[in-house]
Amino acid sequence: MELQRVANLLEASLDPKQNKQAELALQQEEQKPGFSIGLLQIAASESYGNTVRLASALCFKNFIKRYWIDEDGVYKLPQDEIISIKRELIGLMVSVPPTIQSQLGDAIGIIADSDFPERWDTLVDDLVSRLTSDNPSTNNGVLQVAHSIFKRWRPLYRSDPLFTEINDVLKKFGQPFLTLLASTNNLIEQNRHNKAILQKLFATLNLIMKLLYDLSCQDLPPIFEDNLGSIAEVLQKYLTIDEPSLQTDDNDEVGVLEFVKSGIFEVLGLYVQKFEDAFGPYVETFVGSSWNLLTTTGPETKNDILVSKALQFLTSVTRIQQHAQAFNNEGVLSQVVEKVILPNLTLRDSDIEMFEDEPIEFIRRDLEGSDSDTRRRAATDFLRGLMSQYESLVTEVVFRYINHYLSEYSKNPKTGWKAKDTAVYLYSSIAAKGTITASQGVKSTNSLVNVLEFFQTNIANDLLSAESTQPILQVDAIKYLYTFRSQMSKEQWQHAFPLLVKHLASSNYVVYTYAAIAVERVLALTDENNHHIIDKMHVLPLAKELLEHLFNLIEKDKTNEPEITAAKVQENEFLMRCVMRVLIVARDGVIPFADNVLAHMIQITNIISVNPSNPRFYYYHFEAMGALVRFAAPSQPDKFEIALYQPFAAVLSNDIQEFIPYVLQLFAALLEANPSASLSEYYKSLIPPVLTVDYWLSKGNVPALVRLLSSIVQRGAVEIAANNQVEPILGIFKQLVGTKTNEVYAFELLECILSCFPREVLQNYYVLIMQMLLTRLQNTKTETLNSRFVRLYHFISAKDEVGLGADFFISIIDQVQSDIYVGLYLTIILPDTAKLARPLDRKTAVISLTKTLADSAAFAEKYRKGWAYTCEALLKLLENPPVPGATDDAIMEHDVDDMTFGVGFTQLTTIKTAARDPWPDVVDVKRWVGDYLRAADGRHNGRIVTFVQERLSPETRQSLVSYMQY
């Protein structure tokens, strides 16, 4: 591999004009031996610029993510390259700048996920051997590696293997770690006047705090418990230390000192929550230190994380009755509210600047449920923690301040609006109880307050007289309704909802965005019967204008350059989520103005395709398109197919990887909207590219490609067979069934193939298909594979009306290997039939087993005992008969906060494939079984009754006869 060429390509990949070509060229370089080692050499060499070195480290991380191991944990790289990477990485981490360390540390974490500790048992020894007593730069590299590996433990569930791994690490790493903590503390004392060295030493201390958390996240290590006094002493020292040389000049720039103290508070919070029995004696000291820190730390934004962590620690303390008791005093609570809560709840100038200059960031931080460490949220949580212990006393104390601030506002509403904002925030903090959910908002309230009365008395006017109200108070009013939306009745919402809609017309970004957030959440709100509070009937009169206004806001250009107006949209995910929700609630009511909605959607697609930059925005955009396709396309399928083909085809041809999985799903939904039509020329042109290997190489494309290909087959099986394209489709099946990751999609495709192509078309392939399945079952059997194989068996066995059936399956399997069927049936098919969970799968199994008993010649003549076993399996299923699925077609949405966006698959819930029942006429399965067996007995001259008498035990015979007489 030529290093300079790769370095040039990495540099070109950072240039928007060259990045596509550079990334393609890098993909070619990836295939060359030693590519990963070359990337490490570039990252290590000071002869390249820092941006190229960082790009190389990032490329290495992504390369490792893709090529380190396969789904079975087997290395994909040559063994010598594996050894070289492990040997070079740790030493490299010690020598490169922190930005590069971060990327390489992530790569080490990926490797450790698969290799540590079993296949990398020398790692901890290597790390310990590199720790020094006097070189912070070297130590920081080592600690960064350790943190990259050990932080994996934080979210894991307790298990014996996990505890074994942690204990093995602590045996080697625990004492050197504590020694490093002591030596770092000593070096700091020796270098108090050397700023450059102090910066490095405090960076070491910051990493030590992270590792202290990592190593304690599951349980308190005995070595830490034995040294808890000295550890607490060091924590207390650096929590209270004042080191002016480490203070940053910029009020917005967080310094290393703030990071260290924030890390200490995270450790304190963990120890209070999990190890109070051991750590309890030290809590009072740290509560005092927290109080001093909170009452002396300024309002600068660089302190926000530190203040938030301190408040989170105090919130943890309030959950423990014996420590919370210190706050059970009216005077103490007044001091807490006045000196801690109010300074961190009141709007600062920096907050107002963000409201005006960075409105979308203001909203993301302010929203309930955000993971941002804001002072307001932390102060609110602390107050609610106190409320959970002393509701009456806290309510009484806080209400004095609420009334004070409302009084201040009433004296001069124009200048005193900040006082009202504080009052509303305070009230919301004490009014809400329990967890505030994304779907319902506040479900439980403080019994000592009346949230609706407070709204009507103090807040409603800010919604009614919008023109004269300060924008932040308008936002407070909207947010209040949004937060307490579950506390309002359906009738109250009928009156309040138009007020929210009206605020979409505001000229203020935060106001109209918050209005969109509230409108969307209220439209999603349902009652105890799962009926919408604001239903379709109430939305439709507003829907057309509401959608048009939302689109105008999205397409609103923020620049004053007319020539680029058409090439920009406001990628405000909250507005697009509101569009999606209106379409979901309006359902087919959107049809009269669907053309206009479709035109906006296409325009937005074309614009954002140029530079996809906000994953949440385009996720909601495609969900909205899905809702439109689902509810409007069935009534005008040709129009939708023609209109959407060009923009979607452009996404595929331009290889816009972020959009391809969405577009493939939408193509499939368009086909499914008109299932009885023949395949149009548009879709015929899609078949060749869909059958090429390139699209299938991306894991994120596979589920959507299978759905699209299945939809194409369902509408165009005749043309596909005539064009000799069946074999390439089976080639796709072969590729999918060979991997654990894709085996589920392989079976989905196979069931479609078996359903849609006549038996004569597939005649030459049945044996090959079965060979592939049996090879997988023999070599890499998994629970999922077993289950899907059993589902497939019953699917084939039940489809005797199209020439399939149990005897057909047996004839195919015998061609693969004679007499293998009995073993399969007894060890896999029958046992795993009982494990089927989905009602449709159980129903298919009931039909399959019934038809086997009724019509299978093999079971009648050859497998006499098998007939009895089949009957017993059928009766077992009928003990808990599958019932028809609910007809509720409510759309279950993703929680985007839990989603990781990227080049992968995200299912569009608005067009999620509904489970299809191949036997809709079979409703009462018990009655159907009895009817079918009686009819079969007539067809076969009393054979079924004879078998019942001859082959079944008395108990089994009695059970089956009861169904036949049903």
Side-chain angles (χ1 to χ4, degrees), residues 287 314 317-318 323-329 332-333 336 382 386 390:
V287 168
L314 289 179
V317 171
T318 63
H323 298 306
Q325 192 62 38
F327 299 102
N328 188 17
N329 177 282
V332 172
L333 281 174
V336 167
F382 180 36
L386 293 169
Y390 313 112

Side-chain angles (χ1 to χ4, degrees), residues 130 144 174 184 282 327 352 385 391 397 413 514 526 551 586 604 611 614 640 677 720 727 733 755 819 838 935 945:
R130 293 173 186 271
Q144 185 70 56
T184 302
Y282 307 98
F327 299 102
I352 298 170
E391 185 175 280
V397 169
Y514 246 117
T526 56
F551 283 127
I604 293 169
N611 181 27
N614 184 346
F640 270 75
I720 290 169
E727 196 162 309
F733 162 75
S755 296
D819 296 329
R838 294 196 324 163
V945 170

Side-chain angles (χ1 to χ4, degrees), residues 203 302 494 667 827:
K302 70 179 181 180
Q494 308 297 343
F667 264 139
T827 62

